[in-house]
Amino acid sequence: MGGKNKQRTKGNVRPSSSGRAADLLARESGVAPGFVGFGVSTSSDPGYVPAVQGAEEIDNLVDADFRMVLRKLSKRDAVTKLKAVQEFGAICQERQPDVVKGVLPYWPRIYCRISMDHDRRVREATQQAFEQLVLKVKRNLAPYLKSIMGHWLISQCDTYSPAASAASAAFQAAFPLNKQPEAISFCKDEVLNVLQDNLLKETADTLSDPQSVPEEEREAKYIRLLTCSLLALKRLLNILPEQDRELLKERLTQLITQGKFWKYSKHKTPQVRAFFELIATMCADAPQLIQAEAARACSAVLLSIDDTDPVVLPPLWEAVLHILSCIDNCWTHVSARKGVMPKLWVLLKEGGRGLATSLHPNLLPFISKLPAEVTQPNLEFSRTFLTSVIQGLSSDRATSSPSESAAIIFATMECLRFIILQNAGDEQEQRNIQNMLISEQLLPLIDRALGNPSLQTGPLFPQVSDMLLSWEKRVAGKETPTFQRLLSDFWEGLGHLCTTYVDCEEAKQTALEGIASLLQIMHNPNSASKQTKKKKTVKICFTDKEDRGQGEEPPRETPVVEEQHCPLRNGHLLDLLCQLAELNMVYVSELESERHLRFLSQLLGAFPSPQVFQVLLRPEEMKPEMGPELRPLAENTAVYFLLQRVTVWLKQDDRKDTDFLVDMLFSSLQCCSSSDDKTLILNHISRDLNWSVTLQLIEKACADPVHLGVCVGWLRGPVLGERLVGLAGELCVMGLRGSPSSSSHHAHGWPLISLALSQQHNNEPLIGKAYVKQIIDKLHATLSEAKGMSDAGNMEPLLTFISDVAATFFSSVKGCLLLASAEELLMTVFQLCAQDQIFTHLSDALLLKLQHAYTAGIQSLITHLGAGATKGTLLHNIGLWVKSQLFTIPLTVKSLQVLVQAVESLAQTIASAQNTSCLLSQFICCLTPTEEEWSCVRRALPPQVLKPFTFTQAKQAVSTAGLLLAVEIMRFLCWMVDHSPTVLGNTHWDLLLCSMLAWLETASENSSMFWNPWVQLFVCANCELIVRLSDFFTSPPAGVQEQLPPELNSEWKEFFLEGIHNLLLSLLIKIPARSKQQAREASSSSSLGEALTYIPVELLTQNKLPPRFVADQRSSLPEPLQTLLNTLSPLLLFKARPLQLAVYHILHKYRLSWTAGFCIALRSPPAALMSILSATEELLENILGGVQVGEFAVVQPLSMEHCFILGYLLAWKLLFTFFKASSSHLRAQYSLHLKKTRSLHKLLLHLFRLMPENPSVPGQPAEPSSKEPKTFFTESLSLAPRKTDGLQFEVPHLACSVYYGALKDLPAMVRLWWNSQEKRVFSTVDKFTSKYVSGVLSAQEIASVQSSTQTFENMMVKARSATREVIATYSVDDIFIELLIQLPQNYPLGSISVESGRRVGVAVQQWRNWMLQLSTYLTHQNGSILEGLSLWKNNVDKRFEGVEDCMICFSVIHGSNYSLPKKACRTCKKKFHSACLYKWFTSSNKSTCPLCRETFF
């Protein structure tokens, strides 16, 4: 508005500002400003954002962070917009409300644009950010509400559910539920303007720029906007109060009179046909509008009745029903016979085309609203309608989907019942309809179901039963003749149908089962309650109010009151049952038909009625001939049938399947009223029943409470109990003899015994307690007898059965161990498990079964009975037996091992089952010898146990047993330390620790015997004990420290720790000296290495290794430290992986001390490590030289190549650790050394041959998940010496770890190497780093800035993870500087960009110099961003302190060596950096001052 130097008008003390003008206009008019003369548009024009007007003009209105974010929101890139929106929400959440309010004038235009963005992530993030804005500004949003409400409502109807949910959440955050209608009403005109423009004016090309947006994207955005606008209009009508809808009536009329609006009903995109939802809402909330456009509405809705898109069908049928209710003369606008009904018939015949669950619940309301002119003639209409619906059951979808089939069945039965109610008169036409419904529809449908098992399990039979019950209720009313006739016709037809299926020698099993199921459901509807509950939302309950006039709509969702859950009240069902049973019995008696016998069992199971049993007996069979006890009972026809028929069938020898006959037995017993009678009958029947039938009888009784109540007297009676005791004895005798028993005994005897012992009823044994005790006694006696027998026969099956029975008994029956015989059995089982298999002759499989049995018994004993270990208890007796075995029986090493393992397993079981630790302590006390017993042990032990062992070749045979005994003692001590350290007293700990140290000293003195595998086993067990003790004393379990002897911890630290690790260090050095046997000694080195990882740093500094120095090696380190480095570093290349890793862990642990020592005088990294690198570089070149950079070289685990590469990479990891701990000026020196030797150059080339092309961690799921995939760069590297699995991934993972360390600690050098590579390598490195490393490294760099506790005077640093930005603000006095550091996508290969923020009081040239300096520091220094900022701050501080810049590099602090300008010219007095002068002199070939050109002295 005029020139820069133009005179300002007098009195105008403030410059003009477009931002303030926009704010003023918005506050006065309540509309977000566009350019002057233009209103708010819904198109995607860029609109006003602060960046357009310049940052300087709106400093007072918009915060700097908001200004930067709003500038990014105008970008086209979706990722940029997404990050900007996320950052906008984060800033809104962090800043104060007064700051956030400044952005409100510019938010509406931006929101209206990005809320309709093509990228769904942007839309979701926009709504989430909007919620944060709303929570901050609250009521201050009101002036801008009208300009955003339209798009806000559209966003709540977004087709992407997360975006819609986020918009709704923002809306609820702004307005409570009771205020939402008021807010919508306030903006209703503006909302309708937006929706009307979207529906009538906008096109795909007006919404998006055709020149820059692809056609597919433009069309998708337009379709989405149409869909959301239609749904938003529906939502608007739903929310608005009635008076507001009246105010919009005229404008809504303008909308629906447009032809384009009605064309949406035929739109090719299903989403747009959500139009029908809007029509249904209009019919409900604004019926006058639809009635005014009745012709168009009826045509659009009713003629689309065959639309079967899954998205469209539910709202379409809702609209159909609303149209029928809303428009009285709707059928005058369309032809029902030609345009609507033919489409419906086709749709129904095809089963709704897979949408029956959505379509068919609407059929009953639909036909109930049809006028007479549409349904005439009623007979043909009803026949066509129901035939079409039932035919849909044959469709592919209905036959394969139970839910589809059920929906069709429900609709069929509901409509059939409705049509019958509508035609319940006695006129001829009504009778014809009734006959048609029964004979042509209902009975054929039942016939179809009898041949189809899936229909039998569906809702058809319960629906038929429900319908019959309702008809019977109506018989008592005024419609008695009609419903009597209906019932009579139905039962007559059903009887004929069932008789047809039953009266056939080859009757179909499916049909017979279907008939039985139908009759059972009719008799007891509760048996099908699951089916009746499936569709309660669409179930129609026809009550007495249903006899209203024709045309009235029945209620669609009437609460279902099932008072008819009772048997049918007339005799039709019983007559049919008797008829079928009598017919069925003919085939059973005369033809011995098995399928008819099964059918009879099903009938009797459903109807245990005396009348049915009566027809099953012939007249000549009615005279009972039996004993005096049963003669009175035989008067009952059911009992007589059981005794004369069922029992005979059960005892047939050639009958294999008796399951259904047992069901028939229970059906007969249900007709007995007295429990004593039932027990008497069962006692009579079971005396000579086959064991298989007895087993089935008990199994069915246990499975059904009703059956159990019938049998409980028999189960606990003497007849069954004595039979079972006899069976157990017979089985045991046969097993001891080893003779094969009958198949029935083996197949059913043991399962029967197990079942009888394991089941309970009312917390009592299933059979009598006395019989349980007798059976357990027999099992125990048999097991005890078998324990002492060796070759008396094959007892494996016998013991297997007994162990299975015992395990089931112990685990199933609570309180089972209250029986003394059960406790004795458990004791015997444990004794078998604790003895050597040489003596017990048990197989491994049988031993596992016995272990399972006693484990179950011990758990039951502790869990249910709260057992103790006091005198006389089972655990106390076990402890006494174990000690007796140790003291009185000569045990071999194997026998001792078995005994120790059994006791250890028992202790673990006790530890896992107990609630407190006291029981385990008591048990261990039982095992602990008394003082007298200890003295006996000491006298009995051989001398080598009490003295240090000597492993000489002469005594090899003698010492092996002693070694193995010592190994077992060590293992037991390990277990004690892990599980029960508090049991050990002061003397026990002294014995343990002194023995451990003595064993280690012996091993060290006899290291020449390490070739012996028994010696290696001894060393490994000793090291394992050291590891357990180190773990224990490093972090003791909670509450244990207080219970230990008071001096134990100090003794460990002051005496044992030093002795242990000095011996371990010496052993570690001795193993490599024996290089010829190193393959054999790998296990020893692994154990030693793991034990040495616990060595304290102090012991490393004071190690007692023999001195080892290298000639001409410059070092100012203490002698022990230099010796440690020179001794251990070469072991990184030792050809045993565990030893290599142990050395790495030791040197890594001591990194701080030796780094501090080197920092004193050295100009290069440690010579010991550099010698490792130089020794292996040539080897790696020979191994990997043939592999191109970027290809993956597979390294065979544990090969020679694997050892060399592993040592090389471990040395580099140690070098990076050393480098990271050095100061910044020393890092520059070390970088120069690495650059000079080209070591890093060679490393990086090798790494890109060792890293896989896809460094994903193996074992991840194939399908993508929301989480980032795990790679070798995101997961930590495990370098455990004992690791054995996944070794093929160790070198690739280690290579990735080393590359990550190089990028993190030496970014400038890696960047320099990358820029010097050829094009192929350059591209390979860039792609790999960008894809797998940059994101992880950038996130860690940003996180380190955010979590840093380092503080800078006069400078504040903060980071933004979403945008990879670091912002540094430097302020001193009146000077204010803001810098924005942006990490590149391929960080750290790409250059870090430094952008300017705000600055105050700094000249432009100085500002540029400082930005250049910061960029230089960040690019050329090998460190983090915080370190670069620290250097830059020091440079600026020095500048303010008066230190002049070097006139060559124009910086106070040198960019590489971080020195100050110290070399001054004698003439001009200017100071320069030494490095800058050297470069100046060498490049110019002159020795003059760069500034004054005088000779520089």
Side-chain angles (χ1 to χ4, degrees), residues 857-967:
I858 294 297
Q859 289 176 340
S860 175
L861 181 70
I862 297 172
T863 306
H864 301 307
L865 300 180
T870 55
K871 187 174 181 179
T873 60
L874 176 66
L875 294 179
H876 183 266
N877 293 336
I878 289 177
L880 294 179
W881 180 82
V882 171
K883 287 199 292 186
S884 69
Q885 291 288 302
L886 289 171
F887 296 148
T888 61
I889 299 177
L891 298 176
T892 63
V893 174
K894 179 67 182 302
S895 299
L896 179 61
Q897 287 178 331
V898 172
L899 181 62
V900 171
Q901 289 171 356
V903 173
E904 182 179 359
S905 174
L906 177 59
Q908 290 175 346
T909 304
I910 295 172
S912 63
Q914 67 181 357
N915 295 325
T916 61
S917 59
C918 61
L919 180 60
L920 181 59
S921 302
Q922 293 173 10
F923 175 65
I924 293 177
C925 290
C926 296
L927 295 173
T928 306
T930 62
E931 288 297 330
E932 182 181 353
E933 290 168 340
W934 271 122
S935 61
C936 295
V937 170
R938 293 189 188 98
R939 289 193 299 270
L941 283 176
Q944 57 263 43
V945 178
L946 303 177
K947 301 176 183 178
F949 291 102
T950 4
F951 314 134
T952 61
Q953 294 182 0
K955 296 184 179 180
Q956 179 185 356
V958 179
S959 61
T960 299
L963 282 172
L964 293 178
L965 177 61
V967 167

Side-chain angles (χ1 to χ4, degrees), residues 420-421 424 471 474-475 479-488:
I420 285 180
L421 289 176
W471 287 358
R474 293 178 179 274
V475 168
E479 301 162 329
T480 299
T482 299
F483 286 98
Q484 281 183 339
R485 184 176 61 254
L486 285 172
L487 286 170
S488 177

Side-chain angles (χ1 to χ4, degrees), residues 20-40:
R20 283 189 288 109
D23 185 33
L24 179 63
L25 181 60
R27 292 180 186 279
E28 291 182 354
S29 63
V31 180
F35 293 105
V36 176
F38 295 87
V40 177

Side-chain angles (χ1 to χ4, degrees), residues 122 333 356 381 444 521 563 586 598 606 613 652 660 758 810 921 996 1033 1041 1063 1166 1186 1208 1275 1288 1453 1463:
V122 174
H333 302 289
F381 176 84
I521 291 174
E563 65 172 358
V586 173
R598 288 179 179 273
F613 285 105
Q652 289 176 348
F660 63 95
S758 62
F810 290 144
S921 302
M996 177 265 299
F1033 285 108
Q1041 184 70 44
L1063 289 171
Y1208 177 71
E1275 302 303 303
Q1288 68 271 26
I1453 300 176
K1463 300 294 183 181

Side-chain angles (χ1 to χ4, degrees), residues 1041-1109:
Q1041 184 70 44
E1042 296 77 12
Q1043 303 180 47
L1044 297 176
E1047 302 297 328
L1048 180 62
N1049 204 21
S1050 59
E1051 289 177 2
W1052 168 260
K1053 292 180 179 178
E1054 296 171 7
F1055 176 72
F1056 291 103
L1057 205 59
E1058 181 178 358
I1060 290 169
H1061 287 102
N1062 283 335
L1063 289 171
L1064 288 175
L1065 262 181
S1066 64
L1067 273 175
L1068 190 69
I1069 306 305
K1070 290 176 182 178
I1071 289 178
R1074 305 178 46 78
S1075 57
K1076 293 182 180 179
Q1077 285 116 6
Q1078 60 187 8
R1080 298 180 181 177
E1081 298 164 10
S1083 59
S1084 302
S1085 61
S1086 171
S1087 300
L1088 285 169
E1090 185 177 9
L1092 269 172
T1093 55
Y1094 292 89
I1095 185 169
V1097 175
E1098 307 83 52
L1099 293 181
L1100 284 176
T1101 58
Q1102 303 166 9
N1103 67 80
K1104 298 180 180 179
L1105 294 174
R1108 182 173 181 179
F1109 304 105

Side-chain angles (χ1 to χ4, degrees), residues 19-65:
R20 283 189 288 109
D23 185 33
L24 179 63
L25 181 60
R27 292 180 186 279
E28 291 182 354
S29 63
V31 180
F35 293 105
V36 176
F38 295 87
V40 177
S41 171
T42 59
S43 62
S44 59
D45 57 326
Y48 175 80
V49 291
V52 176
Q53 305 298 333
E56 297 294 338
E57 297 182 0
I58 55 170
D59 276 348
N60 296 327
L61 295 176
V62 182
D63 181 76
D65 290 336

Side-chain angles (χ1 to χ4, degrees), residues 1376-1392:
F1376 180 84
I1377 304 170
E1378 186 180 72
L1379 292 171
L1380 176 65
I1381 301 169
Q1382 178 80 46
L1383 301 185
Q1385 292 292 329
N1386 62 344
Y1387 176 79
L1389 299 179
S1391 299
I1392 298 174

